[in-house]
mmCIF file of all heavy atoms in Angstrom:
data_model
loop_
_atom_site.group_PDB
_atom_site.id
_atom_site.type_symbol
_atom_site.label_atom_id
_atom_site.label_comp_id
_atom_site.label_asym_id
_atom_site.label_seq_id
_atom_site.Cartn_x
_atom_site.Cartn_y
_atom_site.Cartn_z
ATOM 1 N N ASP A 104 -4.678 5.094 24.518
ATOM 2 C CA ASP A 104 -4.728 3.930 23.653
ATOM 3 C C ASP A 104 -3.316 3.372 23.366
ATOM 4 O O ASP A 104 -3.212 2.290 22.764
ATOM 5 C CB ASP A 104 -5.334 4.268 22.269
ATOM 6 C CG ASP A 104 -6.780 4.709 22.374
ATOM 7 O OD1 ASP A 104 -7.535 4.059 23.134
ATOM 8 O OD2 ASP A 104 -7.154 5.709 21.734
ATOM 9 N N ALA A 105 -2.287 4.106 23.756
ATOM 10 C CA ALA A 105 -0.932 3.779 23.266
ATOM 11 C C ALA A 105 -0.556 2.328 23.550
ATOM 12 O O ALA A 105 -0.019 1.666 22.639
ATOM 13 C CB ALA A 105 0.078 4.742 23.891
ATOM 14 N N ASP A 106 -0.788 1.830 24.753
ATOM 15 C CA ASP A 106 -0.356 0.462 25.059
ATOM 16 C C ASP A 106 -1.097 -0.562 24.217
ATOM 17 O O ASP A 106 -0.483 -1.515 23.710
ATOM 18 C CB ASP A 106 -0.607 0.139 26.542
ATOM 19 C CG ASP A 106 0.398 0.847 27.452
ATOM 20 O OD1 ASP A 106 1.375 1.435 26.916
ATOM 21 O OD2 ASP A 106 0.209 0.804 28.687
ATOM 22 N N ALA A 107 -2.400 -0.370 24.047
ATOM 23 C CA ALA A 107 -3.198 -1.318 23.239
ATOM 24 C C ALA A 107 -2.735 -1.280 21.790
ATOM 25 O O ALA A 107 -2.656 -2.348 21.142
ATOM 26 C CB ALA A 107 -4.679 -0.958 23.354
ATOM 27 N N VAL A 108 -2.429 -0.117 21.294
ATOM 28 C CA VAL A 108 -2.008 0.012 19.884
ATOM 29 C C VAL A 108 -0.624 -0.653 19.708
ATOM 30 O O VAL A 108 -0.430 -1.418 18.764
ATOM 31 C CB VAL A 108 -1.983 1.483 19.459
ATOM 32 C CG1 VAL A 108 -1.322 1.632 18.088
ATOM 33 C CG2 VAL A 108 -3.397 2.069 19.447
ATOM 34 N N GLU A 109 0.284 -0.378 20.619
ATOM 35 C CA GLU A 109 1.629 -0.972 20.510
ATOM 36 C C GLU A 109 1.528 -2.484 20.581
ATOM 37 O O GLU A 109 2.273 -3.219 19.910
ATOM 38 C CB GLU A 109 2.556 -0.461 21.632
ATOM 39 C CG GLU A 109 2.921 1.009 21.511
ATOM 40 C CD GLU A 109 3.706 1.342 20.232
ATOM 41 O OE1 GLU A 109 4.241 0.423 19.592
ATOM 42 O OE2 GLU A 109 3.715 2.526 19.860
ATOM 43 N N ASN A 110 0.624 -2.988 21.430
ATOM 44 C CA ASN A 110 0.420 -4.448 21.560
ATOM 45 C C ASN A 110 -0.081 -5.052 20.243
ATOM 46 O O ASN A 110 0.393 -6.118 19.817
ATOM 47 C CB ASN A 110 -0.586 -4.678 22.707
ATOM 48 C CG ASN A 110 -0.550 -6.094 23.184
ATOM 49 O OD1 ASN A 110 0.534 -6.688 23.225
ATOM 50 N ND2 ASN A 110 -1.693 -6.647 23.487
ATOM 51 N N LEU A 111 -1.015 -4.373 19.617
ATOM 52 C CA LEU A 111 -1.519 -4.824 18.310
ATOM 53 C C LEU A 111 -0.380 -4.915 17.297
ATOM 54 O O LEU A 111 -0.273 -5.886 16.555
ATOM 55 C CB LEU A 111 -2.541 -3.814 17.767
ATOM 56 C CG LEU A 111 -4.009 -4.052 17.920
ATOM 57 C CD1 LEU A 111 -4.773 -2.880 17.228
ATOM 58 C CD2 LEU A 111 -4.421 -5.358 17.263
ATOM 59 N N TYR A 112 0.442 -3.868 17.247
ATOM 60 C CA TYR A 112 1.535 -3.821 16.276
ATOM 61 C C TYR A 112 2.566 -4.928 16.592
ATOM 62 O O TYR A 112 3.102 -5.548 15.668
ATOM 63 C CB TYR A 112 2.220 -2.442 16.281
ATOM 64 C CG TYR A 112 1.349 -1.329 15.728
ATOM 65 C CD1 TYR A 112 1.576 -0.005 16.095
ATOM 66 C CD2 TYR A 112 0.340 -1.592 14.808
ATOM 67 C CE1 TYR A 112 0.822 1.036 15.559
ATOM 68 C CE2 TYR A 112 -0.424 -0.573 14.273
ATOM 69 C CZ TYR A 112 -0.189 0.742 14.663
ATOM 70 O OH TYR A 112 -0.942 1.789 14.157
ATOM 71 N N ALA A 113 2.815 -5.171 17.862
ATOM 72 C CA ALA A 113 3.792 -6.180 18.240
ATOM 73 C C ALA A 113 3.341 -7.552 17.747
ATOM 74 O O ALA A 113 4.130 -8.337 17.239
ATOM 75 C CB ALA A 113 3.991 -6.188 19.763
ATOM 76 N N ILE A 114 2.051 -7.834 17.923
ATOM 77 C CA ILE A 114 1.522 -9.138 17.490
ATOM 78 C C ILE A 114 1.503 -9.204 15.964
ATOM 79 O O ILE A 114 1.890 -10.224 15.347
ATOM 80 C CB ILE A 114 0.107 -9.351 18.064
ATOM 81 C CG1 ILE A 114 0.212 -9.499 19.567
ATOM 82 C CG2 ILE A 114 -0.548 -10.552 17.442
ATOM 83 C CD1 ILE A 114 -1.105 -9.401 20.319
ATOM 84 N N ALA A 115 1.095 -8.138 15.294
ATOM 85 C CA ALA A 115 0.945 -8.168 13.831
ATOM 86 C C ALA A 115 2.293 -8.220 13.117
ATOM 87 O O ALA A 115 2.423 -8.892 12.092
ATOM 88 C CB ALA A 115 0.169 -6.934 13.372
ATOM 89 N N PHE A 116 3.291 -7.518 13.632
ATOM 90 C CA PHE A 116 4.544 -7.390 12.885
ATOM 91 C C PHE A 116 5.715 -8.099 13.522
ATOM 92 O O PHE A 116 6.764 -8.256 12.868
ATOM 93 C CB PHE A 116 4.885 -5.905 12.694
ATOM 94 C CG PHE A 116 3.867 -5.156 11.885
ATOM 95 C CD1 PHE A 116 2.916 -4.363 12.496
ATOM 96 C CD2 PHE A 116 3.873 -5.255 10.512
ATOM 97 C CE1 PHE A 116 1.965 -3.682 11.754
ATOM 98 C CE2 PHE A 116 2.916 -4.564 9.739
ATOM 99 C CZ PHE A 116 1.955 -3.786 10.376
ATOM 100 N N GLY A 117 5.598 -8.506 14.763
ATOM 101 C CA GLY A 117 6.674 -9.282 15.408
ATOM 102 C C GLY A 117 7.892 -8.460 15.752
ATOM 103 O O GLY A 117 7.967 -7.266 15.415
ATOM 104 N N PRO A 118 8.835 -9.066 16.422
ATOM 105 C CA PRO A 118 10.033 -8.364 16.873
ATOM 106 C C PRO A 118 10.887 -7.816 15.740
ATOM 107 O O PRO A 118 11.611 -6.849 15.908
ATOM 108 C CB PRO A 118 10.807 -9.397 17.691
ATOM 109 C CG PRO A 118 10.195 -10.728 17.408
ATOM 110 C CD PRO A 118 8.805 -10.477 16.857
ATOM 111 N N GLY A 119 10.775 -8.420 14.516
ATOM 112 C CA GLY A 119 11.595 -7.979 13.396
ATOM 113 C C GLY A 119 11.230 -6.602 12.900
ATOM 114 O O GLY A 119 11.944 -6.000 12.087
ATOM 115 N N ARG A 120 10.085 -6.067 13.395
ATOM 116 C CA ARG A 120 9.639 -4.794 12.875
ATOM 117 C C ARG A 120 10.623 -3.658 13.119
ATOM 118 O O ARG A 120 10.705 -2.723 12.312
ATOM 119 C CB ARG A 120 8.249 -4.430 13.449
ATOM 120 C CG ARG A 120 8.246 -4.137 14.961
ATOM 121 C CD ARG A 120 6.813 -4.114 15.452
ATOM 122 N NE ARG A 120 6.655 -3.749 16.859
ATOM 123 C CZ ARG A 120 6.916 -4.545 17.904
ATOM 124 N NH1 ARG A 120 7.366 -5.758 17.680
ATOM 125 N NH2 ARG A 120 6.719 -4.124 19.149
ATOM 126 N N PHE A 121 11.373 -3.753 14.194
ATOM 127 C CA PHE A 121 12.244 -2.607 14.560
ATOM 128 C C PHE A 121 13.417 -2.413 13.598
ATOM 129 O O PHE A 121 14.037 -1.372 13.582
ATOM 130 C CB PHE A 121 12.771 -2.816 15.988
ATOM 131 C CG PHE A 121 11.657 -2.770 17.008
ATOM 132 C CD1 PHE A 121 11.316 -3.894 17.726
ATOM 133 C CD2 PHE A 121 10.930 -1.602 17.207
ATOM 134 C CE1 PHE A 121 10.302 -3.872 18.650
ATOM 135 C CE2 PHE A 121 9.888 -1.570 18.138
ATOM 136 C CZ PHE A 121 9.560 -2.708 18.861
ATOM 137 N N SER A 122 13.679 -3.463 12.802
ATOM 138 C CA SER A 122 14.787 -3.336 11.859
ATOM 139 C C SER A 122 14.338 -2.802 10.497
ATOM 140 O O SER A 122 15.127 -2.515 9.634
ATOM 141 C CB SER A 122 15.519 -4.654 11.685
ATOM 142 O OG SER A 122 14.636 -5.600 11.146
#
Side-chain angles (χ1 to χ4, degrees):
D104 297 316
D106 286 351
V108 171
E109 292 298 342
N110 197 37
L111 261 182
Y112 291 156
I114 293 167
F116 297 100
R120 66 193 185 283
F121 296 114
S122 62

